[in-house]
Amino acid sequence: MKTHKIAVIAGDGIGPEVLSEGIKVLNKVAELSGEFKFEFTHFPWGCEYYKETGRMMAEDGIETLSKFDAIFLGAVGAPGVPDHISLWDLLLVIRKKFDQYINLRPVKLLKGAPCPLKGVSEKDVDMIFVRENSEGEYAGSGSWLYKDKPNEVVIQDGVFSRVGCERVIRYAFELARKEKKTLTSISKGNALNYSMVFWDKIFKEISAEYPDVKTYSYLVDAASMFMVKDPKRFEVVVTSNLFGDILTDLGAAIAGGMGLAAGANLNPERKFPSMFEPIHGSAPDIAGKGLANPLATVWSASQLLDFFGHEDWGKKLLDIIEEILVEKKVLTPDLGGTATTKEVGNEVVKKLG
Ligand code: NAD
Ligand code: IPM
Ligand code: MN
C-alpha cells in the first residue's frame, strides 16, 4: 500500500482547528480507498513556538520538511508577533526554499455557496488563478536606510526574472490548453514600467507557442472591477505574487467567502514537497470558538489528493462540499449556519462513508 508522508504545520489561531478536520477527512478517504494511506507528522511551529524559542520553526526545519511528500498547513500569525516575522520565517520561507513557484487558487462558485453579486450563477464564477509564488513583489529585496532617523528611506524591490516569469506563464498556458479554457494575464504595465512591461513582453512571447489558447490581458485595476461586474470573463488567470494575493481574496468574496478558499503551493517538478493550505489567515477574531469554517481546508485536501494522482477522491471531496452547501443543514456561521468547525468536518466524513 502506498504511504503519503505529510508534514503538518497547524500553526496559529484557527489553523489547528481547521487542520484537524482536514486530517480527519484525509484519513477517512485513505481508509475507504484501501489503496493508500497517510502518515501525518505534526510540527509545533508557529507563533507560540516563537514566543518560547525565538524561532518560528526549528533551525533544521527546512531540511526536516524536505523528507516529506507534502506539507499541510493551517495558518500563521498571532497578535504579539510581528506579521512580517511570523510569515517570512515560516510560510514564505517554505514557499521559497521548496521553489513552490505555482500557487493554484480556484475561484469557483459552488452550488449553494453565497454570492454577493447580483444575477450571477455558478457557471459565471469558475476561474483558476495561477499566482506566481516565488519572486516578484515578494522577493524580499530592499533596504531600510537611516532607520529611525528623520531622513529614513525604505526601498522594496520587485524582482521579476526571465526564468521566474516564463515558468509560471508557461504553466498557465499548459493548464489552459489542457482544460480548453481561455487564459488571462493580469499586470500593470502602464505604471510599473520595468517589471510589468517585462511580464507583458514574456506573456506575449510565450503566447506565440500556444496559438490554440485564446488570451486576454488586463490591467489589475480593471481586472478587479471586472471580477465583480462580469466574472465570467475569467477562466485561467496568471498574475504576479502580490496581485494574485489580493485578487484571490476578492475571488474568495465572490465565491462564498474566506471559509471556502483553498490554495496549493506547487513545485511542479516534485523536486521538493508541495504545500496545501486554506488561503485564509489565522483569524484571531474567531479563534478558539469553534466558529471557523473547515471547508477551505477540506478543499485544499482535495487539491492534495489531486496532486498525488487520486483525482477521483479529490473530486469526491469537492462534490461533498457542494452537497453540504446545497443542503444548508450543517454550516458554520460565516455561511449562515450554527454548526461548529468539528460538526462540519464530521459531516464531510459522514458523507464520505
Ligand atoms: P484572515 O484571513 O485571518 O481573516 C479575515 C476575515 O475572514 C476575518 O474576519 C476572519 O474571521 C474571516 N475568516 C478567515 N478564515 C475564516 C474561516 N475559515 N471561517 C470563517 N471565517 C474566516 O486575515 P487577517 O485578519 O488579515 O489576518 C490575520 C492573521 O493571519 C495575520 O497575522 C496575517 O498576517 C495572517 N495571515 C496568514 C495567512 C496564512 O497563514 N496563509 C494568510 C493570510 C493572513
Ligand atoms: C496568502 C497570505 C500570505 C501571502 C501572507 C500571509 C504572507 O496572505 O497566502 O494569501 O501574502 O501570500
Ligand atoms: Mn492572502
Side-chain angles (χ1 to χ4, degrees):
M1 183 176 312
K2 176 92 193 127
T3 300
H4 303 303
K5 286 166 53 195
I6 313 290
V8 176
I9 305 174
D12 308 311
I14 63 171
E17 299 171 52
V18 292
L19 219 64
S20 58
E21 301 315 304
I23 292 169
K24 199 155 84 184
V25 166
L26 282 174
N27 275 331
K28 184 70 187 177
V29 165
E31 178 197 318
L32 291 168
S33 82
E35 286 170 13
F36 57 90
K37 61 180 187 168
F38 292 103
E39 193 181 287
F40 293 102
T41 306
H42 294 255
F43 294 95
W45 302 335
C47 289
E48 280 312 310
Y49 187 86
Y50 179 86
K51 286 175 192 163
E52 283 160 26
T53 66
R55 306 186 57 90
M56 285 299 294
M57 65 158 86
E59 207 168 345
D60 60 356
I62 290 293
E63 200 199 320
T64 304
L65 291 174
S66 70
K67 313 227 161 60
F68 288 84
D69 300 321
I71 301 162
F72 200 20
L73 183 128
V76 183
V81 181
D83 276 343
H84 68 279
I85 293 179
S86 58
L87 273 312
W88 264 97
D89 291 358
L90 190 54
L91 179 70
L92 293 178
V93 77
I94 293 172
R95 287 182 186 165
K96 282 164 201 290
K97 289 273 185 199
F98 293 149
D99 209 13
Q100 296 167 346
Y101 61 88
I102 299 297
N103 192 193
L104 266 192
R105 296 188 161 187
V107 174
K108 182 176 168 60
L109 183 65
L110 297 183
K111 278 193 219 108
C115 178
L117 308 180
K118 265 193 269 168
V120 157
S121 70
E122 296 84 50
K123 66 177 181 350
D124 299 324
V125 183
D126 190 0
M127 321 173 192
I128 176 96
F129 270 72
V130 180
R131 170 194 182 192
E132 203 294 320
N133 210 32
S134 66
E135 53 169 34
E137 308 88 343
Y138 282 46
S141 161
S143 41
W144 197 315
L145 306 174
Y146 319 116
K147 199 164 188 182
D148 300 328
K149 304 279 187 317
N151 57 341
E152 68 187 323
V153 176
V154 302
I155 298 166
Q156 185 94 44
D157 303 314
V159 176
F160 290 75
S161 66
R162 176 166 276 280
V163 167
C165 295
E166 280 185 0
R167 63 186 185 176
V168 66
I169 290 172
R170 192 165 271 117
Y171 184 97
F173 268 105
E174 288 291 333
L175 183 63
R177 171 177 276 173
K178 190 173 118 218
E179 306 224 323
K180 299 194 177 14
K181 297 211 161 141
T182 64
L183 175 61
T184 298
S185 162
I186 297 179
S187 63
K188 184 69 187 171
N190 53 358
L192 303 180
N193 54 340
Y194 297 106
S195 58
M196 291 292 160
V197 171
F198 184 62
W199 174 281
D200 290 344
K201 172 177 142 78
I202 293 179
F203 184 71
K204 202 159 163 230
E205 277 173 26
I206 296 183
S207 71
E209 296 170 29
Y210 295 85
D212 51 315
V213 177
K214 173 103 187 93
T215 62
Y216 299 93
S217 278
Y218 286 101
L219 295 163
V220 65
D221 43 356
S224 47
M225 178 274 294
F226 280 127
M227 277 179 71
V228 171
K229 293 283 281 185
D230 191 20
K232 65 177 176 308
R233 286 174 189 243
F234 303 94
E235 294 183 3
V236 180
V237 178
V238 65
T239 192
S240 71
N241 211 330
L242 180 63
F243 294 170
D245 175 46
I246 298 167
L247 291 174
T248 52
D249 264 36
L250 174 63
I254 64 171
M258 293 312 286
L260 284 172
N265 305 272
L266 302 178
N267 174 250
E269 292 76 25
R270 296 178 189 242
K271 197 168 153 202
F272 303 106
S274 291
M275 176 164 66
F276 300 82
E277 52 167 347
I279 80 166
H280 60 70
S282 54
D285 53 338
I286 58 165
K289 300 178 184 154
L291 296 172
N293 187 347
L295 291 177
T297 305
V298 175
W299 197 325
S300 70
S302 148
Q303 290 185 302
L304 182 148
L305 288 163
D306 289 348
F307 180 76
F308 283 122
H310 310 306
E311 285 96 350
D312 292 357
W313 287 105
K315 165 94 177 36
K316 174 107 183 140
L317 281 189
L318 218 52
D319 289 346
I320 288 176
I321 295 174
E322 195 157 52
E323 224 178 293
I324 291 176
L325 291 168
V326 169
E327 289 176 0
K328 299 197 188 325
K329 282 196 283 218
V330 187
L331 293 174
T332 43
D334 57 308
L335 295 177
T338 53
T340 62
T341 310
K342 267 201 171 53
E343 284 165 351
V344 174
N346 290 344
E347 184 68 11
V348 176
V349 168
K350 191 173 116 199
K351 285 191 182 301
L352 270 169

